[in-house]
Amino acid sequence: MTTVTYSIPNISCGHCVHTIQGEVSELEGVTSVVANQEARTATIVFEAPATEDKIKALLGEINYPVAA
Ligand SMILES: [Cu+2]
């Protein structure tokens, strides 16, 4: 199990938090997603088959790219 926290500048409201948590938690292997509106971060706990690359790709697809 791996925990990562990403900075996601596009988070601007509670709807963003809801969208990110809903979409990323659908990914197989993701066990927890907690997005924070004020900090503009998402903390994600995952294991295989999920990978950081897959999570970042999904976040990009739904218009919440991870800050470089
Ligand atoms: Cu929003």
Side-chain angles (χ1 to χ4, degrees), residues 31-54:
T31 55
S32 167
V33 184
V34 178
N36 185 299
Q37 183 183 336
E38 270 132 55
R40 298 188 178 180
T41 59
T43 298
I44 300 157
V45 181
F46 68 95
E47 60 191 359
T51 63
E52 283 207 64
D53 283 349
K54 286 182 190 171

Side-chain angles (χ1 to χ4, degrees), residues 6 9 13 16 22 34 37 43 45 50 56 61 65:
Y6 295 132
C13 70
C16 299
V34 178
Q37 183 183 336
T43 298
V45 181
K56 286 181 183 176
E61 280 167 24

